[in-house]
């Protein structure tokens, strides 16, 4: 059985003031007095550049597309990544972070891009020593924010 407590006069006063304040700002969608209404009308941020595809391969063709897509890379392979982006912006810092199976950074490099529509940007992972077997991750950052990832394997 559910028990209800009587409502105090102070609770009724508080409720009345809250409804009155909300009614005063009902026609103003940009008012911060009612955060639920204010945020519902604000557009979310859309980055000027978006990562649409990441291809990994053993070589890169002259048109910057990746070729020779292995299912599993060998420990001594040079791994090429071709990042396809869409959008238009100036001086976008695109960083490739190659992460080991335990999340440590194996390698990273950055390029400044100035895309106008579709653009392909190439990165590579080339180690002097063989990489241990496992699942690795390539993380692509745009202006310091993670934008896309792809997981790949290195066999024995």
């Amino acid at each position: 059985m559910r028990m209800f407590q009587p409502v105090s006069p102070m609770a009724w006063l508080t409720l009345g003031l809250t409804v009155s304040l909300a009614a005063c700002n009902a026609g103003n969608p940009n008012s911060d007095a009612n955060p639920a209404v204010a945020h519902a009308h604000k557009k979310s941020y859309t980055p000027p550049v978006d990562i649409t595809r990441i291809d990994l391969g053993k070589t890169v063709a002259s048109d910057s597309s990746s070729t020779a897509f292995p299912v599993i890379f060998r420990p001594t392979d040079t791994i090429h990544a071709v990042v396809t982006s869409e959008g238009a912006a100036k001086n976008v810092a695109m960083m490739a972070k190659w992460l080991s199976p335990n999340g440590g950074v194996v390698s990273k490099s950055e390029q400044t891009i100035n895309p106008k529509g579709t653009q392909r940007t190439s990165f590579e992972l080339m180690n002097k020593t063989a990489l241990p077997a496992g699942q690795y991750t390539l993380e692509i950052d745009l202006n310091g924010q993670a934008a896309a990832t792809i997981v790949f394997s290195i066999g024995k």
Side-chain angles (χ1 to χ4, degrees):
M1 178 188 263
R2 187 178 243 177
M3 302 277 295
F4 293 98
Q5 298 291 332
V7 179
S8 71
M10 184 56 106
W12 283 111
L13 179 62
T14 303
L15 177 63
L17 286 173
T18 302
V19 170
S20 296
L21 286 173
C24 289
N25 286 308
N28 183 1
N30 295 320
S31 169
D32 287 332
N34 187 346
V37 172
H39 294 294
H41 290 88
K42 290 180 183 175
K43 291 186 177 183
S44 62
Y45 173 74
T46 303
V49 177
D50 189 33
I51 304 300
T52 58
R53 184 180 174 117
I54 300 174
D55 291 315
L56 298 176
K58 292 184 180 183
T59 60
V60 176
S62 60
D63 68 348
S64 294
S65 63
S66 187
T67 60
F69 304 101
V71 174
I72 297 176
F73 291 94
R74 292 187 314 237
T76 55
D77 284 344
T78 296
I79 303 170
H80 296 272
V82 176
V83 180
T84 304
S85 57
E86 295 280 339
K90 292 185 183 263
N91 299 318
V92 176
M94 182 182 284
M95 178 182 285
K97 284 195 275 189
W98 303 85
L99 305 173
S100 68
N102 67 5
V105 177
V106 174
S107 178
K108 65 181 177 177
S109 61
E110 185 175 306
Q111 296 182 41
T112 300
I113 62 170
N114 295 293
K116 295 176 184 167
T118 302
Q119 179 170 326
R120 290 184 180 138
T121 308
S122 298
F123 295 95
E124 72 177 22
L125 174 62
M126 184 171 67
N127 278 340
K128 295 177 183 170
T129 60
L131 291 170
Q135 284 207 326
Y136 289 72
T137 302
L138 170 59
E139 177 182 295
I140 302 297
D141 296 352
L142 295 176
N143 291 331
Q145 300 293 317
T149 61
I150 187 169
V151 175
F152 61 98
S153 295
I154 295 185
K156 294 183 179 191

